Amino acid sequence: MCGRFNVIDSPEVQVLLRHLGIVGGQLRFTPDAAPGALISIVHGSDEGVVLTDAIWWLLLDPQTLKPNYKYASFNTRWDKLHSKQSLGYAPYRQRRCIIPASAFVEGLGDKKTYHKIELQDEAIAFGGLYTHYVNKHTGESAYAASIITLGALPQWQTIHPKSMPLMLPVEDKKIMDAWLDPHDHDVTQFEALLQPEVRSTQVVTPIGKPSKWDAIGPSWAIPPSANAD
């Protein structure tokens, strides 16, 4: 699962923001975002598409507005999105968002094998969910978000054999507009997105300590899946 990502001020990130219709606001740049960190999300509102700070952890304590670490909720599995008991069920239908990123880290699970993944010549638009919390006693509020994760692909067996994050096809304006429309509750149109595939060339680099992002070997590329548009 995606457990770290970064957002670097770059031409690719600026292009992504323009594609998403973000012309104002301050994107939160960070060399290393870990679960529980404050990040930027893009979501729809009655005023249009907006950029908002959010905590990277979907389940917050309603009183303190801090992450409820009893349950890991920085990611939401694709196979939970249609379960009414799932934390992500309602947000998937009403509160979808996009989380801009430059690259992310995946671990093999052996506590020693880690890779940085980025897209070739483009920024990443993670498909995410968000919730807006309001403390009823103080009026204080906070946004919380998670990244949707999919099943893994054969190409990812040496990276993370169980899952990969949802990376949205930014060039598909119809899908992106629907994803950010809080009044569009027809999630059947997103079923193809929940099928794991490589839609853009992925550049993979082995790294040492995840928080350091230190390359320890040469990079290689994973080309788009045969069935990707």
Side-chain angles (χ1 to χ4, degrees):
M1 62 179 65
C2 180
R4 295 191 108 88
F5 70 89
N6 65 17
V7 191
I8 308 300
D9 190 2
S10 66
E12 292 80 9
V13 168
Q14 296 302 327
V15 167
L16 172 60
L17 293 179
R18 288 196 294 272
H19 269 299
L20 298 178
I22 298 295
V23 294
Q26 184 64 48
L27 181 66
R28 184 174 289 275
F29 297 109
T30 175
D32 179 47
L38 200 60
I39 62 173
S40 291
I41 66 172
V42 177
H43 64 94
S45 72
D46 291 337
E47 289 74 41
V49 178
V50 296
L51 188 66
T52 301
D53 280 347
I55 298 169
W56 186 19
W57 198 276
L58 193 59
L59 182 61
L60 303 185
D61 182 300
Q63 301 302 318
T64 65
L65 302 183
K66 296 184 181 302
N68 182 338
Y69 288 116
K70 184 177 180 180
Y71 303 99
S73 60
F74 58 95
N75 288 329
T76 300
R77 286 168 44 130
W78 88 102
D79 56 352
K80 300 292 186 180
L81 295 174
H82 297 303
S83 171
K84 292 185 178 180
Q85 290 74 38
S86 168
L87 184 65
Y89 181 85
Y92 183 50
R93 287 151 180 80
Q94 303 169 15
R95 298 184 298 277
R96 297 175 296 271
C97 69
I98 291 170
I99 301 173
S102 299
F104 61 99
V105 173
E106 291 286 2
L108 189 57
D110 58 2
K111 297 185 178 182
K112 64 180 181 179
T113 306
Y114 300 96
H115 294 90
K116 175 181 76 172
I117 298 95
E118 51 198 330
L119 299 184
Q120 190 173 63
D121 301 323
E122 61 182 291
I124 297 166
F126 285 130
L129 310 173
Y130 76 95
T131 295
H132 185 206
Y133 290 83
V134 178
N135 184 311
K136 296 180 180 179
H137 302 290
T138 66
E140 183 184 4
S141 69
Y143 283 82
S146 70
I147 294 173
I148 295 173
T149 57
L150 313 176
L153 290 171
Q155 302 98 306
W156 267 53
Q157 290 305 302
T158 58
I159 300 172
H160 195 293
K162 294 183 179 180
S163 65
M164 63 181 290
L166 169 59
M167 291 173 271
L168 295 170
V170 179
E171 70 286 349
D172 191 332
K173 188 176 186 306
K174 181 179 179 181
I175 282 293
M176 299 300 280
D177 287 347
W179 187 267
L180 292 174
D181 185 349
H183 304 295
D184 192 336
H185 303 161
D186 177 19
V187 295
T188 60
Q189 62 190 311
F190 306 130
E191 284 304 303
L193 295 178
L194 302 184
Q195 302 303 313
E197 64 181 40
V198 179
R199 296 183 174 85
S200 298
T201 298
Q202 298 176 355
V203 179
V204 183
T205 306
I207 62 173
K209 191 174 181 180
S211 61
K212 298 295 185 182
W213 296 74
D214 51 332
I216 59 173
S219 303
W220 74 90
I222 299 178
S225 304
N227 58 331
D229 293 333

